[in-house]
Amino acid sequence: MNETEALIVTKDEGLVHEVERLLAGQGLRVHVSEDWKQPFTERGKYAYYLVDDRTVKKVDDVNVPSASWLIVLIGQRSFDRVRDWLKQGAHDVLVIPDELEKLNALAQRMAVRAPIDETAAAQRNALDAGGRVRAFYSVKGGSGKTVISAMVAQSLQLQFGKRVMLIDFNAQFGGLEVILGLESPRSYLDLQPVLQELSFNHIQNVAVKEETTGIHVLLSPLNPEQAESISDELVTRVLQTCKAHFDEVILDLPSTLNTVSFTALTGADDIYYVVTPDSMAVRGLKHALDLFRRFQIGNHGNVHLIVNRNNKKSELSEKDLTQLVDLPLIGSVRADYYGIQPFVNMGRPFYSKKGDKGSSKVAQDVRLLVEKALLKGV
């Protein structure tokens, strides 16, 4: 197989010219065919196969050698079609013409790609090595855990140089896409058909990158009813794969203790319970801790307390909370509704550049929490 040769299968001459232009800088020689012919793969001649979806009737007809990359160029966004290609082993699915420019960056990754078995080896060792999984949880809705988890992810990536994946497992009533100003038709539920062979390339294909801070985000399904389709196996395999390829995996979890939250909590290295300083929130926290003990969640001393919306007029002080609940308090975030709301409403990043401590009290306190607690192993 020639590592410098690629095959594009399409009848679109304009698309051929664009692909040749984008790949020319990578030293790849492009061959063209108007139809998919299985002998292509039997000869094993090409390292990269770029297939125009419009030229293929049945996805199952397309098979490439295990050491080659399959990149699919699709004309319209179709969940079912994308899932079919992912299941068939496509390394990426690009919507043309909107995402064609991404082919240049993809070609750079291809040129320096690791050995073909690297992903499998990384996944086998994922539970014993790799990044750290941090889950943010609270049984009380409106505690602010979603905002805090997003801030933590942005701070770790932008301020401290970590490679971060943020996952919205709050599938029915999340909102990370609003807070971060993201739009994508894809979610981690699209990975369900390829769970048995889930790889980093599959994760990349459905993740969204927040451009300012650089974090990668796996969004929840657009339809809340699809939350019931999320299996514990999906959660486990997504966590394992992300942990193998990211320094930090941040989870925003639903308030209910269901299959998703239970699996994520048991798979997390650290659990951060976000509580507001009032008696109702503390009552919910105590119920949650009873459930944690019953189901042996956090029995390794990895559950930590974060106080949110703290101010001098709060019903309970930090001292009161530590006396009422037997959990280590690792940080306090001040109340600053008017400082944080413009960022939430407009989907703007809470930090804009390295060294930015945040313009709101909330962003400043979260950055301090990351620096003083999370990065020191808490």
Side-chain angles (χ1 to χ4, degrees):
M1 180 176 61
N2 193 330
E3 288 290 323
T4 62
E5 295 193 0
L7 173 71
I8 178 170
V9 181
T10 183
K11 294 182 174 70
D12 188 336
E13 293 184 2
L15 180 58
V16 171
H17 293 152
E18 278 297 300
V19 169
E20 288 178 335
R21 178 183 66 83
L22 290 168
L23 296 184
Q26 305 301 325
L28 292 174
R29 183 182 177 187
V30 179
H31 299 261
V32 183
S33 175
E34 292 188 353
D35 300 293
W36 178 261
K37 299 175 182 178
Q38 200 58 34
F40 288 144
T41 62
E42 292 173 2
R43 290 196 298 268
K45 181 178 180 180
Y46 305 104
Y48 314 112
Y49 294 82
L50 294 89
V51 178
D52 185 347
D53 177 72
R54 296 169 295 184
T55 65
V56 177
K57 292 184 179 180
K58 293 179 61 179
V59 173
D60 294 344
D61 291 339
V62 179
N63 293 285
V64 304
S66 59
S68 298
W69 279 41
L70 172 62
I71 298 100
V72 179
L73 309 175
I74 192 167
Q76 295 181 342
R77 298 182 186 275
S78 167
F79 293 156
D80 293 337
R81 195 66 168 175
V82 169
R83 279 196 294 263
D84 289 345
W85 279 115
L86 289 174
K87 188 175 182 179
Q88 193 64 13
H91 282 73
D92 217 328
V93 179
L94 303 181
V95 179
I96 54 175
D98 296 349
E99 298 179 347
L100 192 57
E101 288 294 330
K102 294 182 180 180
L103 189 60
N104 189 34
L106 183 61
Q108 294 178 10
R109 294 209 316 267
M110 292 190 296
V112 296
R113 80 187 197 278
I116 195 68
D117 61 347
E118 179 182 357
T119 298
Q123 290 189 36
R124 285 194 297 269
N125 297 324
L127 293 177
D128 301 316
R132 198 163 188 87
V133 178
R134 304 180 189 270
F136 288 80
Y137 182 73
S138 177
V139 297
K140 181 178 180 292
S143 65
K145 62 177 175 57
T146 298
V147 171
I148 289 179
S149 64
M151 279 191 180
V152 167
Q154 291 183 353
S155 181
L156 282 168
Q157 175 97 29
L158 190 61
Q159 309 290 348
F160 300 100
K162 301 294 184 179
R163 183 168 165 79
V164 179
M165 171 62 80
L166 174 61
I167 306 177
D168 184 4
F169 278 136
N170 194 359
Q172 285 186 313
F173 307 107
L176 276 176
E177 74 282 357
V178 177
I179 292 175
L180 299 175
L182 299 175
E183 292 185 10
S184 175
R186 301 176 183 177
S187 75
Y188 47 75
L189 194 58
D190 295 316
L191 300 171
Q192 187 72 47
V194 294
L195 283 187
Q196 300 308 314
E197 58 272 4
L198 187 63
S199 70
F200 179 53
N201 294 302
H202 294 127
I203 295 288
Q204 278 190 312
N205 195 52
V206 300
V208 185
K209 185 176 181 180
E210 200 286 301
E211 295 298 334
T212 301
T213 60
I215 64 172
H216 289 76
V217 186
L218 280 175
L219 295 173
S220 58
L222 293 175
N223 186 351
E225 294 180 358
Q226 292 181 304
E228 297 180 0
S229 303
I230 303 173
S231 64
D232 55 348
E233 183 183 14
L234 172 63
V235 175
T236 299
R237 289 187 178 273
V238 167
L239 290 184
Q240 289 177 350
T241 306
C242 290
K243 185 174 180 178
H245 294 280
F246 290 89
D247 301 320
E248 300 281 350
V249 182
I250 309 299
L251 313 180
D252 178 36
L253 302 183
S255 296
T256 55
L257 193 59
N258 55 21
T259 298
V260 173
S261 55
F262 176 81
T263 306
L265 287 168
T266 54
D269 297 300
D270 293 288
I271 300 169
Y272 302 98
Y273 192 101
V274 180
V275 64
T276 51
D278 59 82
S279 54
M280 289 297 293
V282 172
R283 181 181 179 184
L285 169 57
K286 289 184 175 181
H287 285 309
L289 293 179
D290 287 340
L291 290 173
F292 280 14
R293 283 188 286 268
R294 188 182 308 171
F295 294 108
Q296 298 185 342
I297 298 173
N299 56 356
H300 300 293
N302 62 338
V303 182
H304 318 283
L305 192 64
I306 297 174
V307 181
N308 190 29
R309 303 198 188 105
N310 198 12
N311 61 61
K312 295 180 179 179
K313 296 182 179 180
S314 297
E315 178 184 348
L316 300 173
S317 66
E318 292 181 23
K319 184 178 180 180
D320 293 332
L321 289 170
T322 55
Q323 292 176 344
L324 291 169
V325 182
D326 186 21
L327 279 182
L329 176 60
I330 64 166
S332 177
V333 179
R334 290 170 290 177
D336 187 11
Y337 176 83
Y338 292 106
I340 197 69
Q341 206 60 29
F343 292 88
V344 174
N345 290 341
M346 299 180 67
R348 291 165 49 196
F350 301 106
Y351 310 97
S352 59
K353 59 183 178 179
K354 187 176 179 62
D356 181 5
K357 295 182 179 179
S359 60
S360 68
K361 296 176 183 177
V362 179
Q364 293 166 10
D365 290 348
V366 169
R367 186 188 187 282
L368 190 64
L369 170 70
V370 171
E371 182 178 10
K372 300 296 184 182
L374 272 65
L375 291 178
K376 292 186 177 181
V378 177

